[in-house]
Amino acid sequence: MSDTLAVTGLETPVPVVDLDVVERNLSRMQGYADAHGLALRPHIKTHKLPRFAQAQVALGAVGITCQKLGEAEVMADAGLDDILISYPLIGPHKARRLAALARRVTMRAAIDNPLALETVALAGQEAGRQIGVLVEFDSGMHRTGVGSVDEALTLIAQVRAADGLRFDGLMTYPSSAATVEFVRAIKDAGVDLPIVSGGGTPRAAHAHEIGGVTEMRVGTYIYNDRTLVEVGAATLEDCALLVHATVISRPAGDRAILDCGSKTLSSDLIPRGASAGYGLLVDYPDAVIDRLSEEHGMVDLSRSGAKPALGERVRILPNHVCVVTNLHDEVVVSRNGIVEGIWPVAARGMTR
């Protein structure tokens, strides 16, 4: 790409990343972790870009977190050599892929059940290398994670007894007051915890207050999004990825139609309905993207004094940027409104 191409000259819809904002966000989080003696292991599910993962490690991250083996394979191919899979892996196919990764790079995996333990153990035995295991516990999300200290202690004992595995500690999401109690109970049972890995960008600035947590798994902080702005974890100036779109129709005075729908913005709303719409129109904050079809964004302008014109380009802050990243093959990276490159989203679509 020519370094003189302005982002305003790009075809829409298109996700545009401001590299200056990204670099500030990365430096700020690494600085926080360093100041409080916490290891930082960023989750790459937000950006899915090897270049950004490499930048995070270069700044001081101890490694990266991936949700799926496909993401980890992409990152290992790009030279990332310390990877945690923060997701239960089940079955022989997963074991074979994990073993192949473990032969190349340092691997850890989270488990919360005996079948996941068996899968990771099989991978370690096949690889001929120990794979680190974090036992996941539930801190209130009611998603994956054991629900009791006794369950965790049972799994820990099984990990320690299994060939091919090394017990490395605990993992949870999100970090909360319940995390403190659970960690204390495990330690009171005489278990040494080299790693206690906590997650969640919304409360990342309070990670040092969660007793026992040694490691931060945060992802969204690299871009930030409307949800994080709503909860006070970021400002608009901290948001690095905006979707640029065009007004393709003005069928009524109080309505505009954009050239982006659910295939561009996702269908995620702000949790608990704090703010309406499928993204924030940055330059028209009182307008509401109130409906989406696959390729259309319908905007209610009834409460907006200023209204975008037919053919006007607008900028949208996504509600949930991680999903938006995964909807696009490429992102445009820019500085000061000038295109610096178009990067393929290398780990997008890796659902296995």
Side-chain angles (χ1 to χ4, degrees):
M1 295 297 300
S2 168
D3 60 3
T4 60
L5 176 63
V7 295
T8 53
L10 296 164
E11 281 193 83
T12 64
V14 59
V16 179
V17 174
D18 188 317
L19 290 172
D20 289 327
V21 179
V22 163
E23 289 165 5
R24 289 200 303 271
N25 292 342
L26 295 186
S27 295
R28 183 185 303 118
M29 189 64 76
Q30 187 64 57
Y32 168 81
D34 292 345
H36 293 283
L38 295 167
L40 182 62
R41 184 177 289 277
H43 208 314
I44 62 85
K45 71 182 180 68
T46 300
H47 57 75
K48 295 179 176 281
L49 293 165
R51 292 197 212 187
F52 281 157
Q54 291 160 352
Q56 288 168 313
V57 171
L59 282 170
V62 297
I64 61 170
T65 303
C66 296
Q67 200 78 337
K68 296 297 181 78
L69 283 166
E71 293 176 339
E73 288 160 350
V74 168
M75 294 296 156
D77 288 345
L80 282 302
D81 62 3
D82 193 320
I83 301 173
L84 165 68
I85 304 287
S86 58
Y87 194 88
L89 301 173
I90 301 292
H93 293 293
K94 297 290 193 291
R96 283 194 290 271
R97 291 170 66 194
L98 180 58
L101 280 165
R103 292 188 194 103
R104 295 196 284 155
V105 304
T106 298
M107 291 298 303
R108 291 182 178 85
I111 67 164
D112 74 347
N113 64 78
L115 191 54
L117 186 155
E118 180 182 312
T119 299
V120 180
L122 180 61
Q125 293 157 19
E126 185 175 326
R129 295 182 61 182
Q130 282 192 330
I131 296 174
V133 169
L134 299 182
V135 171
E136 183 178 6
F137 65 94
D138 182 12
S139 280
M141 184 73 170
H142 303 311
R143 196 170 62 180
T144 49
V146 298
S148 73
V149 170
D150 286 344
E151 288 177 274
L153 291 172
T154 298
L155 276 178
I156 290 168
Q158 292 171 345
V159 170
R160 286 174 163 170
D163 292 334
L165 300 184
R166 181 186 66 251
F167 175 67
D168 281 351
L170 301 177
M171 187 193 91
T172 195
Y173 177 87
S175 301
S176 69
T179 303
V180 181
E181 297 173 10
F182 202 99
V183 171
R184 183 184 299 120
I186 296 294
K187 287 183 174 179
D188 286 347
V191 178
D192 183 44
L193 296 175
I195 298 172
V196 177
S197 184
T201 296
R203 297 280 296 168
H206 300 276
H208 67 286
E209 300 168 2
I210 307 296
V213 169
T214 67
E215 176 180 279
M216 301 170 63
R217 296 182 338 277
V218 285
T220 316
Y221 79 99
I222 186 171
Y223 290 157
N224 293 308
D225 56 21
R226 190 184 184 201
T227 298
L228 291 179
V229 172
E230 288 292 315
V231 300
T235 67
L236 283 175
E237 290 71 28
D238 298 325
C239 295
L241 186 150
L242 299 177
V243 173
H244 290 222
T246 299
V247 178
I248 57 168
S249 180
R250 283 296 311 278
D254 63 355
R255 187 155 45 101
I257 312 299
L258 307 177
D259 62 350
C260 56
S262 60
K263 288 181 177 179
T264 299
L265 298 175
S266 91
S267 56
D268 280 17
L269 294 167
I270 297 289
R272 295 174 294 279
S275 290
Y278 294 90
L280 174 69
L281 281 160
V282 174
D283 301 307
Y284 299 93
D286 293 324
V288 178
I289 306 172
D290 64 344
R291 289 185 298 130
L292 296 178
S293 58
E294 290 180 69
E295 306 291 358
H296 298 76
M298 280 63 83
V299 184
D300 177 2
L301 300 173
S302 61
R303 292 179 292 280
S304 182
K307 303 182 193 303
L310 180 63
E312 184 175 341
R313 298 173 65 96
V314 296
R315 300 176 300 156
I316 303 162
L317 176 63
N319 287 342
H320 186 186
V321 73
C322 307
V323 186
V324 171
T325 294
N326 196 52
L327 290 170
H328 294 270
D329 290 328
E330 301 170 330
V331 294
V332 173
V333 294
S334 67
R335 291 187 197 274
N336 300 315
I338 302 299
V339 173
E340 288 213 349
I342 298 178
W343 294 357
V345 183
R348 78 167 295 258
M350 300 297 176
T351 58
R352 294 193 294 273

